[in-house]
C-alpha cells in the first residue's frame, strides 16, 4: 500500500521515555529498537513541515498508578526526573513539534494521549484529519491513543515497524494490534510512505 503524506497529516510518537526503555523503571523489552525507524518517520514529517506530537507520561511522585498508591506499576516517568526524559537518540525537531504531557494529576491516570490533554484541540485547530501513531507501549498507551483518535473521528495509521509492547500477559501486544485494526486503524510501515 502507498500512502502519500499531505498537509492534514500528523505524526504522534507515544511515550519514548527513558523509563520505558531497557534499563528504565518500567522497561518495554527492546523499546529502544524502534528508535531508528521512528526517527525516519520524524524526519519525513519534519521535512514536509508536518507537525510531530510527542506524548509523555508525566506523573507526580505519588501517582495513583504506582504500587503503594493504589496502582500496579513501579514508579515511572516522575515529572522532572531523568527517567521521564525522552530517549537521547530520539530526534526532536526544532519546529512544528509539540510535547503532550499526560497522567499529570495524582488521582488520574491516562493511557491515551488525548485523555486530559489538549491534543485533540491542537490537531483540530490545525485541520489535521489523519494521524500516524508509533511508540510504546503497544498494549497500553499506543492502543489507547489509537482508539482515542479513532473515536474522535481521525483516520489512524498504525506504524507497525515503530511500536513495541510490554506483554505483561503473553500475546497482549498482538491482541492490541488486532483490536486497533478491527476498530479501523490501518497498519503501515516505512516503505508504504510514498
Ligand atoms: C504506560 C504503563 C503505565 C505506557 C504508561 O506508556 O504505555 N504503560 N504508564
Ligand atoms: Zn504511567
Amino acid at each position: 500500500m502507498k500512502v502519500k503524506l499531505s498537509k492534514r497529516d500528523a505524526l504522534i510518537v507515544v511515550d519514548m521515555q527513558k523509563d520505558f526503555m531497557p534499563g528504565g523503571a518500567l522497561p518495554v523489552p527492546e523499546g529502544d529498537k524502534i528508535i531508528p525507524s521512528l526517527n525516519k518517520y520524524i524526519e519525513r514529517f519534519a521535512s514536509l513541515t508536518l507537525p510531530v506530537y510527542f506524548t509523555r507520561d508525566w506523573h507526580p511522585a505519588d501517582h495513583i498508578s504506582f504500587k503503594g498508591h493504589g496502582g500496579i506499576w513501579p514508579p515511572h516517568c516522575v515529572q522532572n526526573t531523568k527517567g521521564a526524559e525522552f530517549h537521547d537518540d530520539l530526534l526532536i525537531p526544532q519546529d512544528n513539534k509539540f510535547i503532550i504531557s499526560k497522567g499529570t494529576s495524582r488521582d488520574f491516570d491516562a493511557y491515551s494521549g488525548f485523555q486530559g490533554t489538549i491534543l485533540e484541540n491542537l490537531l483540530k485547530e490545525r485541520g489535521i484529519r489523519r494521524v500516524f501513531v508509533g511508540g510504546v507501549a503497544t498494549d497500553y498507551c499506543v492502543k489507547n491513543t489509537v482508539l482515542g483518535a479513532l473515536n474522535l473521528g481521525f483516520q489512524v495509521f498504525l506504524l507497525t515497524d515503530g511500536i513495541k509492547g510490554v506483554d505483561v500477559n503473553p500475546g497482549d501486544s498482538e491482541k492490541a494490534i488486532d483490536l486497533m485494526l478491527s476498530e479501523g486503524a490501518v497498519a503501515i510501515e516505512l516503505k508504504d510512505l510514498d
Side-chain angles (χ1 to χ4, degrees):
M1 201 219 338
K2 278 290 172 206
V3 177
K4 192 175 165 52
L5 294 177
S6 75
K7 66 180 196 316
R8 296 185 181 283
D9 295 335
L11 178 62
I12 301 178
V13 178
V14 177
D15 295 9
M16 290 299 293
Q17 294 162 276
K18 289 177 180 168
D19 270 345
F20 292 130
M21 300 292 126
L26 180 45
V28 175
E30 304 191 323
D32 52 341
K33 296 275 175 70
I34 60 174
I35 293 174
S37 74
L38 283 176
N39 282 345
K40 293 199 178 91
Y41 286 107
I42 292 163
E43 269 175 1
R44 183 69 71 90
F45 276 72
S47 73
L48 296 167
T49 68
L50 297 174
V52 183
Y53 298 81
F54 294 89
T55 71
R56 66 179 180 186
D57 232 19
W58 195 247
H59 298 315
D62 54 355
H63 191 248
I64 49 150
S65 76
F66 296 172
K67 283 176 186 151
H69 298 275
I72 60 170
W73 304 113
H76 61 277
C77 300
V78 172
Q79 293 167 9
N80 301 305
T81 62
K82 196 91 187 159
E85 293 174 1
F86 292 117
H87 191 290
D88 294 329
D89 297 340
L90 189 70
L91 253 171
I92 313 274
Q94 287 288 353
D95 304 317
N96 297 312
K97 63 108 178 354
F98 303 85
I99 311 290
I100 306 293
S101 302
K102 63 185 174 57
T104 58
S105 337
R106 188 192 63 176
D107 297 318
F108 298 94
D109 202 9
Y111 288 147
S112 164
F114 293 97
Q115 215 176 331
T117 73
I118 59 166
L119 181 55
E120 179 189 6
N121 301 259
L122 292 178
L123 293 170
K124 292 209 164 143
E125 78 186 2
R126 235 184 148 93
I128 299 297
R129 297 272 180 77
R130 308 194 300 183
V131 295
F132 294 69
V133 183
V136 296
T138 307
D139 35 356
Y140 290 93
C141 288
V142 170
K143 175 176 100 172
N144 284 278
T145 299
V146 164
L147 297 179
L150 288 168
N151 263 95
L152 293 167
F154 295 99
Q155 283 182 53
V156 181
F157 292 92
L158 179 67
L159 309 178
T160 52
D161 49 1
I163 53 175
K164 279 286 177 200
V166 276
D167 288 315
V168 172
N169 310 295
D172 279 355
S173 294
E174 258 187 52
K175 264 197 263 173
I177 292 170
D178 288 347
L179 178 63
M180 292 184 268
L181 300 183
S182 72
E183 293 294 318
V186 174
I188 64 160
E189 48 191 347
L190 259 173
K191 66 171 173 49
D192 295 320
L193 284 191
D194 205 11

